[in-house]
Each structure stands twice: as C-alpha cells, then as structure tokens.
Amino acid sequence: MDRVRSFLSALAVTALVLTGGLVSAAPAGAVSATDYDPSFIISDAAFYDVGTMNAGQIQSFIDTKGSRCNPSSGNTCLKSYRETTNTIPADSYCSAYQGAGSETAAQIIAKVSAACRINPQVLLVTLQKEQGLVTSTTGKPAATFQRAFGYGCPDNVGGWCDPSYAGFFVQMQRAARQFQVYKARPTSYQYVAGKWNTIQNHPNAACGSNQVFIQNQATAALYIYTPYVPNAAALAAGYGTGDSCSSYGNRNFFLYFSDWFGSTGIVLSQYIWDWYQVPSNRAMAGEVTTQATGTSGGVRQGFQGGTVYVSGSYGVHLVPAGLLALYYDSLNGPAGVLGFPSGSHSSPAGGLSQPYQNGTVFISGATGFAYVSGWILDIYKAAGGPAGSMGFPTSGQSIIAGGITQSFQSGTVWISGAGGVQTLRPVMQAAYTALAGPSGSLGFPTSAETTAAGVTTQQFQNGVLYSDGTTAHAVVGWMLDIFKGSGGPQGALGMPLESQRTEAGGIVQRFAKGTVYISGVGGVQVVPATIAAPYAASKGAAGPLGFPVGPATTTGTVVSQPFQWGVLYSDGTTSGYVSAGMMADVYRSRGGLTGELGLPLESTRVVGGGLVQAFSTATMYVSGVGGVQKVLRGSLVEMFYSSLGGPTGTLGWPAGSQTGAAGGVVQKFTNGTVYISGMTGFTYATSWMADVYRQRGGPEGALGFPTSSTRTEAGGLAQSFQNGAIYISGIGGAQTVPAVILKAYSGNGGPAGALGFPVSAAVVTATETTQNFQGGTISVTAAGLVTITPR
Amino acid sequence: MISTSEWDAATGVTVRGYANTVDDTATCTLELTGQGAVESVTGEALPNPTTMSCGELVIGPADATSGTWTAVLSYSSTTAWGVSPPVTVTVP
C-alpha cells in the first residue's frame, strides 16, 4: 500500500485507478475497515467505469444479495422493485434517459449508469450504504425507496428530504449526475483532489476533523456527497457502530465495494484511461494487471492482453502479449532501438506487425523476428509489406560501407549513394555476401537483375554477377573486360564457375570452358579444362610450374601448354609436366611427345640430386654420376632396379643402357651391374666384383651368370656363379674357385673355415685340379677323390 | 465550515467550505480580517445532496497582502444563515 500511496501522491489528480471487476478481485471479506485510506476511497477508473455489469448481471447480483429478502407488510424487496420512469433529456453531465413503464431496479441502475457514466457497482453500493436496500431481508417501505440515495436529505433537519428529489429513479439519476458535476468542476466544491482538506468526523463539529490529502476525484466526490471521514472508532468497528462521533457513510461505501467487487485499485494514467474507454481497446487489453510506471519519458502499464505504452509524441498503444511483446522487450522496450509503439498491431500475411517510433516490427513463423525502419521501411511499405512482393524481413537492417541493407524473403535491399535502391534476390545475395558485399570487389549494386538466354546478370559498381539460377559468380575489373571480350557467358569462356581469386600474385578465375590466368610473366592465358585439372593438382601458379606463358595446343589426343617452369601434357587421363632444364632438353632431344619417349606418365621428379621422369616407353634418369640414362618401361631391369630402391638404393643411378648377353640382360649402374637370365634370375654385382667378373668374361665367360649377388664373407667379397665363385680378399686377391673345388671348399667352411681365402688360381691337369688356400690345398682327382692338405 | 484554505502568489487566498443545509439558492461570503483591513468576496453556493458548497472564494494577491489573516465564511439564503469558525491564513 505504501508504494501505491506514494505513486498516487506523485500523480495527484492526473491519475486514474482501476478496481473491482476490472482486475482480479480480492476475495470477499478480505478487506477490513482498518484498510480504509481516507485519502483514497475508490479509484477514478472504477468509479467512472460503466462496463462492469449489464442489467442482467445487476439483476442477478441483486437477486443473490437479496435472496433471503421476504418483504414485510408494506415493504418491497429491491429484487422485486419496479418503477415507471420518466424521460430526462441530456445535459452537460448525463446523456438522455429514456423513461419506460415498470422498470426494475436493475434496469434503472444499468440505464442511469450508462447515461451518467458512473459504475453500476458504485450505484449498488450507494443504495446499500444509504438505506441498506441491497441486503435487506424484510424489504423497505416506499418512503425509503423515495430517498434511496439520500439526495436532498440534509443531516441537520431531522430526516426531512426535499420532495422535489423524491423517487428511486430520480434519486439515482440526480446522484449519478451530481458525481459527473463534481468531475466537471473539480475545484468548485468544498473538497478538492490533490490538496489537503479539512473533513469533519461527524455533523457535530465538536467531534473534530481530520486533515486529508484527497488523492483523486472519485474520493473527493464521495466526500462532497457525504462530507465526513470516519473516526478511529468507526474504523475499529468494521461494519458496526463506533462512538457518538462516528460517521459511517464513506466507511461503508469502502467496505461494501471492497467486499462485493474487490478492493484493490490500480492506477491508470489519464491517457491510458481515455484509451481504455474505447471498447475495442478494452477488448484487446483485458484487465489491468500492474501499476503504471514511468519509462523513457513515457508510461507503461500491464494488462492481461499486453502492455500499454504512453508517450507524448506517439500516443497510447498496446503491445500485445506474446511474440510482439517478447521481441519488443528483448530490444529493451521504449528505451531500446524501437522507442515507443506508434500504432496498433496487425496480422499481415499470417504474421504479426506493429509500428514503433523508430521502425515497424514484423514477425512470421518462417522468418522469425525483425524490424524495418527508415528509408527501407518506406520502400517496403510501397511494395506492399509482408503481403507484397518482398515477403517478411529475414534480417535486421544494417549499415555496411556507408550503405543500408536489409534482407527479405524475396531478396535483399541495398541502398547506397552510388547505386540507389537495388534488390538482390537470394542467389545473387549469397554470392554477394561471399564476396564481402559492398566492402568487397563488387561495390554496391547499381541495377536490377536481368535475364537473357538463361543467364541472369546484375550490375555492380565494379563488376557483374552472373547466375544460372542456382549459383552466382562475380566477374570484376580487368577480368570482366577479358570476359566480355571473349563474348561473355555465351562466348569462348562460358559461364563463370567461381569468383576471381588471386594466386601467386596473379589473378585467376575459372569459367566453364577454361581458367583465365593473368600474370606479369605470362600475360593473359586461358588454361583449358584438360590442363587445368593436373595444373591445379600441382598447386597451380603457386606450384612448380608457375604461370602459363603460352596458349594450349593439341597433338592428337594430347593437350599441352607451356608454363614458366615446364610444359604440362595431358590426354585427359594421364598427365605430367616436363620441367624446364635438363629433363626438357632430354625430352626434346628425343623427339618430345612424338619421339621415342612418348607422353609423360608423371611429372619430372627430383630424386637424390638427379631427375627422374617416367614416359610412355621408358623412365629417364639424369644424374651427375650416371649422365642421361633410361630404363625401359616395364622391363625386368626396371622391376629389379625399383625393388632395390632405384637411384637412392643399392645400385645408384643407371650408368649405361640395357644390353643383351648370353641370353640374358645386363645394365650397368653407378654402384653395380644387373644381370638377369632365365636360369639364374635377378642378380647384381657390385662395382669391384663386377669389374673382376667382367674381366673374366662375364656371363659369356667360363663362370656363366651369377647365381647370387655380391656378398661379404669373412671380411672379403664373394659371389656365386653358374660355374664357380669369385672370392676377393686382401690376402688372396681376386681368385676364381672352379665348381670342382668349390664343393669341398664350401664343405670345409669356405673363407671362414680353416682353409681361409684362395691365394692362387686353380691348376688343372689331366688327372686332377689343385688350388691353394691360406690354410692348405684342395686337390680333386678326375675320379672325384678329394684331398685336403693343410699348410 | 471551512474545508480548505490556501495561498499562492498568483491567485491569492482561496477558501472553500460548505453549509450543512440544502437550499435552492444561497450565497457564500469570505471575509479576511487582518493587517488593519477587511477584505471580502461573495459567491453563489452550489447545491449538494446534503450540503451547500461554498467553493473557490478567492481574494486576489493585491488585496491579500503579506501577514496573518483571519478567514470567516458566512452562508446566507432565504431560509438559513450561518458563520464558520475562523481559520488563520498566513500570507508570506
């Protein structure tokens, strides 16, 4: 109550208050006389509210309250009372009352309430507090009905009443009208709202008086009508009797009204009250639920149906509960970007909308929450708003690069000094956004989109967006000149497939029929799709090839194109580039693409300080130690060489060409020689052993093909051949052990055994073969008898 | 009786009150006594259901000079006459 009181004090007479049926009523009996606030008996809102009950509801109320009324002889219960009323023309305070025969009390109350705009509940309570007519159990005589409101019945004349005001209807109409007179002339009577007033406790002035700051007009009216404030004894007595100085009229008004209709008053600002009197507004708002509070220079007040805002410039408007209120509150209400509501809400195109001081909110299930403001709002409205061509907004408005933009279902509006007002449809907008919008390479849009031959285009400050309806890509600057020069989307390059990018300091853009490269070293070159794929796989201009430096050419099924650091070849399936320099020279010297090597199967590789590249017919090896050599593609040598690690493996680099020998093949490498035959398989001899072997006839000599590769034994070298073995040691030098000796030698442990390395060549006679070893001599007779003679 | 009495620089002294009777027509007179002078003003009484209002009787600032004044409200009709208890009004 303290809070209410202090707020009321602040608002003084400009505030109106709702109570009773307008709000969630306090339960009957919840208010006691000690709750009586002499400065505030009833709110203005409740007092002057005519919409609380109709005639049927009033009758029902009277019936309920008077259900036990059984009239004594000569008495009438209010529920049964009827009176023929006369017509009273309208004046400055009440509209006309149309008289009728045999009207019920409820009908009279309802009609007087409507004519004089006084809450029928106030009239019911006044009937009760003046004469106890509502709850009487025995009814009242006609004389009581004649003075039902005590109108014209001064307190000091012994119960006399002015006969000119006699009659139930006349009493009520005069009383209700008088309340409107007080309202119309708020300072002309003895008690004034918003001021301190001296109010007696009782008609007997000796009983004293109270100083009362009357807070509102309705309370002032009640004190003028019944000019006494209850003393403490009256308030302590509830509905009962206090002392000889007690008065009860205003106390009882408060108690009956509170008990019957609820006692809590909620302040409405004057403007909200006026707004609330419009039936459609009242229907929207429902009952008031919160006190009015100041906000951002205006007033806000909660109702069942939402929150009503008042601002000096934008009037009184309801923001309905639900999505609109949710969004508005999320934007900090009137203190936020939207300011105060400036109009009523509506439901355009199945969504929600409400205008505010700084923009209009639009909400739909498909697009969510957004507001539109300023110039874009003007454009949007001109286009029909949500029901028009633009649909609902899908984003908030933003300022980018000095322009203004906002997205809608049908597209995004851009406003700029350079381009005016333009709309980008979603496909164009997506591409534009990907290019950083107006801050990017395109700048602001300068035209609407146009479509021709299946291609949609839209002009920008610095370029053009091209779309096939699904995606869109920009072509800008120098590239745009080239593109247009080639015939545009219908020309040699076809549609752009991606936006321009920079690569290794050059400018690159991919089109349907090729990729354009612009570089200082290569100028403008088009890389066809056949070349573009392997070129991209080798990292394009940033890779080992650098930029294209000439146009692509086609030889048969192979397309080739020169780049800064080599030539790239592709038949669409197989591709590779030949690096500029030695490999390019080798390739060229061998006839290039149409020469002995054919199509590169891979790109030039740098391996162990040399170059390697596979071609259709052979793999070329270029090294300082081996020179320029080839290993035939698919050959047994290539297979064995590869298994031994190629140039960085056992054999090192090729040092000669493959040759045939004794039905097998031989090829020299820097670290040894490969020998391959059908009988002996794949072997090699390392360089010293290979020299000895070669000196002793090689495969075509007595030893035949190696049956093993060179190996290390007991600190020396050994290698087996078809017809013997060669041992090379520091003590014995290079010696051939013939097959007839070798079996016994091996059987005695070979070089690691007692015999050690051979120290001389075998001596062959007609009867035996003898060979000296470090540890003895082996003799083998023609009959095969073996003699070992230790040294 | 006098129910409100107040002073402000723009309006002067304003007094309101009522008489505990009901008449068709009546007049109310405010009389300010003090500072060696008597100032008065008369107005029409307004009817209420049970009283007659003597509302908004004003003596302007030119007459209600600085000092302490005694205000008395009198009521007069063809059937009734009365005088209120005096009330002190201070004009700063």
Side-chain angles (χ1 to χ4, degrees), chain A residues 317-477:
Chain A
H317 300 287
L318 171 76
V319 176
L323 295 177
L324 278 168
L326 183 70
Y327 185 52
Y328 186 49
D329 291 344
S330 76
L331 295 175
N332 205 22
V337 65
L338 288 173
F340 281 95
S342 60
S344 298
H345 65 283
S346 59
S347 303
L352 291 170
S353 176
Q354 185 160 27
Y356 293 82
Q357 179 180 347
N358 301 319
T360 299
V361 168
F362 296 93
I363 301 171
S364 80
T367 58
F369 303 83
Y371 67 89
V372 186
S373 60
W375 192 353
I376 290 185
L377 180 59
D378 296 339
I379 295 165
Y380 186 46
K381 286 179 177 175
S389 60
M390 297 172 74
F392 278 94
T394 58
S395 76
Q397 177 178 304
S398 54
I399 298 174
I400 301 175
I404 305 170
T405 184
Q406 185 159 19
S407 293
F408 296 82
Q409 284 178 296
S410 65
T412 301
V413 173
W414 288 90
I415 300 176
S416 68
V421 180
Q422 306 296 346
T423 298
L424 271 62
R425 297 194 182 280
V427 170
M428 293 296 196
Q429 176 63 26
Y432 189 47
T433 301
L435 292 170
S439 302
S441 58
L442 282 168
F444 282 101
T446 58
S447 79
E449 66 176 34
T450 59
T451 301
V455 177
T456 302
T457 60
Q458 189 151 21
Q459 310 293 319
F460 291 76
Q461 282 179 283
N462 306 318
V464 180
L465 271 177
Y466 295 89
S467 173
D468 60 2
T470 303
T471 60
H473 300 290
V475 186
V476 302

Side-chain angles (χ1 to χ4, degrees), chain A residues 149-157 160 162 165 175 178 182 185 187-192 195-200 203 209 211 224-228, chain B residues 1-6 8 14-24 44-57 73 80 85 87:
Chain A
F149 279 76
Y151 195 98
C153 304
D155 295 319
N156 61 347
V157 290
W160 173 85
D162 187 337
Y165 301 126
Q178 196 65 22
Y182 298 150
R185 303 179 64 181
T187 62
S188 297
Y189 289 81
Q190 69 264 38
Y191 298 122
V192 179
K195 295 182 182 298
W196 287 99
N197 297 265
T198 301
I199 306 178
Q200 287 187 189
S209 60
Q211 292 296 308
I224 299 169
Y225 197 105
T226 305
Y228 309 110
Chain B
M1 70 161 285
I2 291 175
S3 55
T4 68
S5 60
E6 59 188 354
D8 75 59
T14 301
V15 171
R16 297 181 182 85
Y18 69 95
N20 208 348
T21 186
V22 175
D23 283 306
D24 289 336
E44 181 185 4
L46 299 175
N48 292 313
T50 62
T51 61
M52 296 296 285
S53 282
C54 297
E56 217 162 23
L57 293 166
L73 193 60
V87 171

